[in-house]
């Protein structure tokens, strides 16, 4: 039987690999002071944030996977949180890249922010039980 939240583990390791590849691509131009408008430019900062978020949120998904193993199943709130952590981890870097090219796209961050914060609150409630 597949352990609970196994999907979060699969997606997490895929995102870690993608995050490393992003870092590699960033690294190809890292030496150029003016790349993407320079180190402090909005575009470069958002590309960097996309790279960091991909790896950090993958780690959150792995933490969720191990937390889920300690809780009773089936567990509908954890099923929702499972999808919320995946949606958040995938959409946060996409929002960063979108906003890097279109400053008006700020509102799209509401998707990853609500997915992640809502999922964390669901897990918090479950671990309190
Ligand atoms: C193969 C692995 C990795 C490569 C090739 C890589 C490459 C890079 C490069 C080239 C930059 C600079 C981007 C720029 O100049 O705008 C960067 C920034 C950054 N990376 Fe990675 N990275 C890797 C893994 C990681 C990991 C595992 C973490 C931690 C979760 C991480 C966290 C960061 C942070 C926090 C920054 C921003 C640093 C700063 O403020 O300048 N990276 N990375």
């Amino acid at each position: 039987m597949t352990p609970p939240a196994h999907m979060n583990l699969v997606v997490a390791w895929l995102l870690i690999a993608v995050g490393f590849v992003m870092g590699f691509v960033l690294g190809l131009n890292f030496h150029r002071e003016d790349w993407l408008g320079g180190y402090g430019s909005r575009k470069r900062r958002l590309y960097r944030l996309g790279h960091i978020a991909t790896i950090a949120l993958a780690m959150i998904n792995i933490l969720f996977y191990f937390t889920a193993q300690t809780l009773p199943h089936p567990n509908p709130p954890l099923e929702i949180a499972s999808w919320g952590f995946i949606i958040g981890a995938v959409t946060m870097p996409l929002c960063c890249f979108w906003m890097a090219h279109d400053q008006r796209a700020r509102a799209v961050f509401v998707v990853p922010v609500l997915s992640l914060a809502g999922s964390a609150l669901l897990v918090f409630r479950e671990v309190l039980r």
Side-chain angles (χ1 to χ4, degrees):
M1 199 183 86
T2 312
H6 186 252
M7 200 172 41
N8 297 79
L9 197 62
V10 173
V11 170
W13 281 104
L14 173 63
L15 289 175
I16 287 172
V18 169
F20 288 172
V21 172
M22 286 181 193
F24 169 70
V25 174
L26 290 172
L28 293 175
N29 297 288
F30 176 69
H31 59 291
R32 290 172 41 206
E33 289 300 330
D34 62 342
W35 185 50
L36 292 176
Y39 185 82
S41 74
R42 175 171 45 86
K43 200 173 270 186
R44 178 117 168 233
R45 280 186 289 120
L46 283 161
Y47 268 67
R48 206 161 42 237
L49 189 55
H51 157 66
I52 300 162
T54 303
I55 297 170
L57 293 172
M59 291 194 244
I60 298 283
N61 271 275
I62 292 177
L63 288 177
F64 171 71
Y65 169 78
F66 286 111
T67 304
Q69 307 317 305
T70 69
L71 296 166
H73 290 277
N75 190 322
L78 281 191
E79 299 291 328
I80 298 169
S82 169
W83 278 108
F85 283 125
I86 290 173
I87 291 167
V90 171
T91 56
M92 183 66 88
L94 292 176
C95 291
C96 292
F97 302 136
W98 185 350
M99 197 180 151
H101 294 275
D102 184 355
Q103 187 156 270
R104 293 162 305 167
R106 216 150 40 113
V108 294
F109 278 99
V110 74
V111 175
V113 170
L114 289 185
S115 304
L116 295 165
S119 302
L121 286 171
L122 283 174
V123 176
F124 174 62
R125 201 185 61 170
E126 289 308 305
V127 292
L128 269 186
R129 282 182 197 278

